[in-house]
Amino acid sequence: MNLSLLFNVPAAIIATGIFVLILLFNRLGFRYRQKQIRKYPHDEIDSIGTIEGSMLGLLGLLLAFSFGMAASKFESRRAIVVEEANRIGTAILRCDLYPDSVRNVLREDFKAYVETRIDYYDAGDDESLIKRSLEKGNIYLVKLWKLVAQEGQNPQNLVRTAQMVPALNAMIDIVSTRNSARLAKVPPLILIVLLVLTLTSGFLSGYGNKAKRRNMVLIVGFALMTTLALYLVMELDRPRRGIINLDTDQKNITDLRNQFVDGK
């Protein structure tokens, strides 16, 4: 499996777990400091403000880096979906360059191909359904290419073929581009390091508390903001599910169905 367990678990569940763990580690850090004070009442517990600040700074830096990476990948996926819709639409329009006998066959295959690209997105994260839609789509791509190549042997179709081949080739190429973008995710190791840093920062913030009672407003605020940042990173990295998705952009491909309505 290329996908990690971390990716397969819903982001909301992971975020909830992280929030609870931050509070727990903060409490553990606070209790450990109190235990040290009781154990060594005459010793002065060293301040860890510098270490705590450095850890929080490192956490913030890695969070910013991860968020930027996830946002960049999301924007790239969004742009590829729109570009694919434009390329397919261009190829469909160029079917009109051919005589009706060829045009109708091409349009039927294009219509079936569009459905496979809709199924590709609707498959979500189900790898078996994604693979099935890609295989089915490849069948129609081969049929389209063979027909265009065959018609290109006719001297009367040289101009038509010169227009259709680049459009069809671009449409074929973007399939692998889009699938590669789907598989390109924030490395799980980065998310694991982020989690370790977050929990360590929670522990140190609890240990560094010199008061006899914890300020729950600050603790909950830190846990909530950190959790939300991590949640956004995970949501941006999972555009096929969750509240941040590509549904609006995918509609550009779904709307291609309109080009086949009433024999257009």
Side-chain angles (χ1 to χ4, degrees):
M1 286 292 292
N2 292 326
L3 296 178
S4 66
L5 178 62
L6 187 64
F7 178 76
N8 291 323
V9 177
I13 294 179
I14 296 177
T16 302
I18 291 174
F19 179 77
V20 173
L21 285 173
I22 293 175
L23 296 180
L24 175 61
F25 271 70
N26 182 273
R27 182 178 180 84
L28 289 176
F30 180 77
R31 284 184 171 274
Y32 182 72
R33 182 184 180 88
Q34 297 300 314
K35 181 179 179 181
Q36 291 294 99
I37 293 175
R38 290 193 299 270
K39 187 175 182 180
Y40 306 104
H42 302 295
D43 293 345
E44 182 178 352
I45 304 298
D46 294 335
S47 174
I48 61 169
T50 303
I51 299 176
E52 182 183 354
S54 299
M55 188 65 67
L56 291 175
L58 180 60
L59 174 61
L61 180 63
L62 191 56
L63 268 176
F65 173 76
S66 302
F67 184 86
M69 180 187 296
S72 176
K73 291 180 181 296
F74 178 83
E75 179 61 23
S76 176
R77 296 183 187 112
R78 187 201 66 78
I80 290 173
V81 173
V82 175
E83 184 179 358
E84 181 180 22
N86 291 335
R87 290 186 178 185
I88 296 175
T90 298
I92 293 173
L93 290 175
R94 292 184 182 181
C95 292
D96 295 338
L97 298 172
Y98 291 87
D100 286 346
S101 58
V102 179
R103 171 182 178 272
N104 293 336
V105 177
L106 286 172
R107 285 176 61 83
E108 282 299 315
D109 287 339
F110 268 110
K111 182 179 180 180
Y113 178 71
V114 168
E115 293 300 321
T116 67
R117 298 310 291 164
I118 295 174
D119 292 341
Y120 173 77
Y121 183 75
D122 291 343
D125 292 319
D126 191 322
E127 289 296 324
S128 61
L129 294 179
I130 291 174
K131 182 179 179 181
R132 188 182 309 168
S133 66
L134 288 173
E135 291 174 347
K136 191 174 180 181
N138 189 59
I139 293 175
Y140 289 106
L141 287 176
V142 171
K143 291 178 63 177
L144 287 165
W145 183 262
K146 285 184 176 180
L147 179 56
V148 170
Q150 178 182 335
E151 291 299 320
Q153 303 301 316
N154 186 343
Q156 296 180 351
N157 290 332
L158 290 179
V159 177
R160 299 181 179 114
T161 303
Q163 294 293 318
M164 176 59 86
V165 167
L168 188 58
N169 187 62
M171 190 182 80
I172 294 173
D173 289 344
I174 204 169
V175 173
S176 57
T177 301
R178 184 177 176 186
N179 198 51
S180 295
R182 176 183 69 86
L183 296 174
K185 303 182 183 301
V186 176
L189 181 59
I190 292 181
L191 297 178
I192 292 174
V193 172
L194 261 176
L195 177 60
V196 173
L197 278 175
T198 299
L199 298 182
T200 303
S201 297
F203 181 87
L204 290 179
S205 63
Y207 183 82
N209 187 359
K210 297 181 179 180
K212 294 184 178 180
R213 297 181 59 183
R214 295 186 300 159
N215 189 328
M216 293 306 299
V217 174
L218 293 179
I219 295 170
V220 172
F222 167 75
L224 183 60
M225 292 300 101
T226 305
T227 300
L228 284 176
L230 288 169
Y231 176 72
L232 285 176
V233 170
M234 291 185 288
E235 279 288 328
L236 287 169
D237 208 34
R238 308 172 181 208
R240 285 173 170 256
R241 53 178 171 171
I243 59 175
I244 303 178
N245 52 56
L246 299 174
D247 290 355
T248 301
D249 304 292
Q250 175 66 18
K251 191 174 183 297
N252 289 286
I253 293 182
T254 305
D255 288 345
L256 291 173
R257 287 170 169 168
N258 298 331
Q259 296 199 31
F260 304 101
V261 176
D262 297 330
K264 293 182 180 180

